[in-house]
Structure formats: C-alpha cells, structure tokens
Amino acid sequence: MCRSSRTLIVAVLMTVLAALPVGPTAAARRDGIANVAHRGASAHAPENTIGAFRLAARMGADLFELDVRETRDHALVLMHDTTLARTTDVESVYPERAPWRVSDFTLKEIRRLDAGSWFGSAFKGARVPTLREALRAMRRTGLGLLLEIKAPHLYPGIERRTALELRRSWEGPLVVQSFDWDAMRAFHGLMPEVPVGLLGTPPAGELPGLASFAVQINPPYRDLTPGYVRAIHAHGMQVFTWTADDPVVMRRLAAYRVDGIITNRPDVLARL
Ligand code: G3P
Ligand code: CA
C-alpha cells in the first residue's frame, strides 16, 4: 500500500471522529470503531434514499454507505440490486419492462418511481437519488462516505464517471469500495488520493499484493477471526466488516479490533 493512501485513511477517520459531538457516539469514538450506516439507516428507512442517509446522521453514524449503478443514459444512481423491482414500484409503473434492470432505464424514467412505499407508507414518494443528489444533500453533515461501486462489469466506464462526480460534488471523508478488485485497482489509478476498500475475504497470502493499492479489506463478519484481523493490520490496512445489527455480535467484532462496523442499525452501535 502506498504511504499517501495509508495517511489519508487515517486522516479520514480522525477527521470524522474528531468532529463527533459528545453523546452516544463517544463510546464508539473511544474504541476507535467507525459506525457505518449500511445503505443509510436502512433498518428504519428505505435503503439508498436521502432520507435514510439523513436519519443515519441523526442516529450517530460516522459514515454512510451507498451503492452506485448506472442508467441506460449513464446517470449514476443509487440502487443495491441489479434490477429496480425489490425497492421501487417499477413493476406497476412499467409492467412491460421485465426484468427491470437499472441499465435498461433512463434517468427520466427512473425519476417516476416510488422508492419508499415498499418499505412503509410513511415513506411514500421517496425517489431513487442520483449520486450527485446524495452527495450534495450530505456533504455538509460531517458524515464520511463509504461508496460502493456495484458490478462495474455491467457499466463500462462507471469508475471514471464516479471519480468525476466525486471531484465535482464531494468534499468530505471518503472511501470507495467494491467486490470487483480489478475495478478498484483501476479506480486507484484514477483517484490515487482516495482510499480504496476491497469487499470480500482474500486469503491471507494475497494481502501483501492487495496492500499495494487498497487501504481496507472489508469482509462479512462471519468470515472474521482475530487472527485474520491481525493479518490485515500487519499489512497496514483496516477492516470494515458487515453487516452487524446485533449488539452481541458488535461487541465481539469490537473485541477483534475491527476498524469499522457496517450496520443497518447505526443507533444500536452508537449506544454501545
Ligand atoms: O458495505 C458492505 C456491504 O454493503 C456489501 O454488501 O450486498 O450490502 O452491498 P451489500
Ligand atoms: Ca453496499
């Protein structure tokens, strides 16, 4: 890993944590564990919506996580799944357009969708945000951003377009992650100043090579052992693990000395 990347990620966390008010987040800060709201406070509000991100800020998160995909006309929008079916009313608005892939719709078409009602009637009318809308809504909140690029092989050029948007619309702490490690290597070439995270659980033997461009290894929590966390740290990288909502699990992960916990319930982690 290059020294500038390592310095940056430490600066990211220090900036975020230093800015926190006293209160429920103080415990997390003392432990040095970043509280990362997974798709926003997604246990309480529809995932990947601006409402979920704002709620995460109110619940004491340090960072918010989001998922970026691309429309047919190359707009960057926030959506976890390959299709729009689970988290919008696309099936009733466009019944003839199965299987409702994000990449088959224009931004104008996606703007007609309701991304809130599936979660609860109180959220009716929530929209699928563009990346730009989310960045601009959140950039003065003090939260850091953990941005996941979803399935970059489906959206050629998404790394470059994401980098452009980040340069234009985001000023705060930032980590960019993906399950596609080659895409992250490419992103590191585009924005070497931005810390890169790798989702998954690489074998310990691969950590030295990955540390040449990544600053985080971010595995599912069930894959973690204290020894694996130590191995990642020994290569100068951090561990943000996902998705832990149970306080018993959160405490165990804290004992493993992870650097961040990605949770649908940032309020629960903040209270620990
Ligand atoms: O940030 C970790 C997590 O978001 C990766 O899994 O499927 O929830 O995007 P997923
Ligand atoms: Ca994600």
Side-chain angles (χ1 to χ4, degrees):
M1 174 184 59
C2 75
R3 179 177 297 276
S4 63
S5 297
R6 191 165 50 227
T7 305
L8 261 170
I9 186 61
V10 171
V12 163
L13 289 173
M14 293 311 292
T15 304
V16 171
L17 297 177
L20 292 174
V22 293
T25 48
R29 180 176 51 194
R30 276 196 301 274
D31 288 343
I33 297 171
N35 181 343
V36 186
H38 182 238
R39 313 178 198 170
S42 59
H44 307 284
E47 65 187 58
N48 279 314
T49 63
I50 288 171
F53 304 144
R54 288 194 171 127
L55 185 58
R58 291 202 294 277
M59 288 183 160
D62 302 319
L63 297 94
F64 65 108
E65 192 256 3
L66 55 75
D67 300 303
V68 178
R69 292 182 184 270
E70 211 172 85
T71 63
R72 193 172 84 202
D73 50 343
H74 303 295
L76 299 172
V77 293
L78 306 192
M79 183 62 47
H80 177 270
D81 297 0
T82 307
T83 81
L84 297 153
R86 181 177 60 88
T87 58
T88 76
D89 58 351
V90 71
E91 293 184 39
S92 57
V93 178
Y94 300 104
E96 311 296 326
R97 301 274 298 272
W100 303 287
R101 282 185 288 258
V102 176
S103 56
D104 290 339
F105 287 78
T106 64
L107 177 59
K108 189 175 173 196
E109 289 169 335
I110 288 177
R111 286 205 184 282
R112 289 184 56 201
L113 302 178
D114 179 339
S117 292
W118 71 276
F119 192 85
S121 56
F123 301 96
K124 182 174 164 48
R127 298 292 158 202
V128 175
T130 63
L131 176 60
R132 182 176 303 172
E133 287 164 351
L135 298 182
R136 293 190 175 181
M138 295 301 290
R139 68 183 171 186
R140 295 194 215 298
T141 61
L143 263 69
L145 167 62
L146 177 59
L147 183 153
E148 179 180 353
I149 301 180
K150 276 288 182 208
H153 63 283
L154 297 178
Y155 317 101
I158 192 172
E159 302 92 332
R160 185 176 54 79
R161 278 185 277 273
T162 300
L164 283 172
E165 192 57 66
L166 287 167
R167 286 210 173 90
R168 170 187 268 198
S169 304
W170 186 250
E171 296 152 1
L174 170 66
V175 179
V176 173
Q177 66 174 359
S178 182
F179 285 101
D180 185 328
W181 304 346
D182 289 336
M184 286 300 90
R185 198 186 290 270
F187 187 88
H188 179 66
L190 292 168
M191 282 189 102
E193 72 276 22
V194 171
V196 157
L198 305 182
L199 285 161
T201 315
E206 291 183 18
L207 294 176
L210 298 173
S212 66
F213 67 96
V215 300
Q216 288 183 355
I217 301 294
N218 296 344
Y221 75 83
R222 288 191 177 84
D223 287 353
L224 283 187
T225 63
Y228 189 64
V229 174
R230 277 197 300 275
I232 293 169
H233 287 163
H235 290 91
M237 295 183 285
Q238 294 189 322
V239 183
F240 278 20
T241 192
W242 45 277
T243 302
D245 292 342
D246 179 340
V248 174
V249 173
M250 291 172 176
R251 286 185 194 284
R252 188 172 80 236
L253 297 170
Y256 289 4
R257 302 205 168 278
V258 300
D259 303 282
I261 295 177
I262 299 170
T263 177
N264 300 315
R265 299 182 179 275
D267 48 332
V268 172
L269 182 54
R271 278 196 298 270
L272 283 186

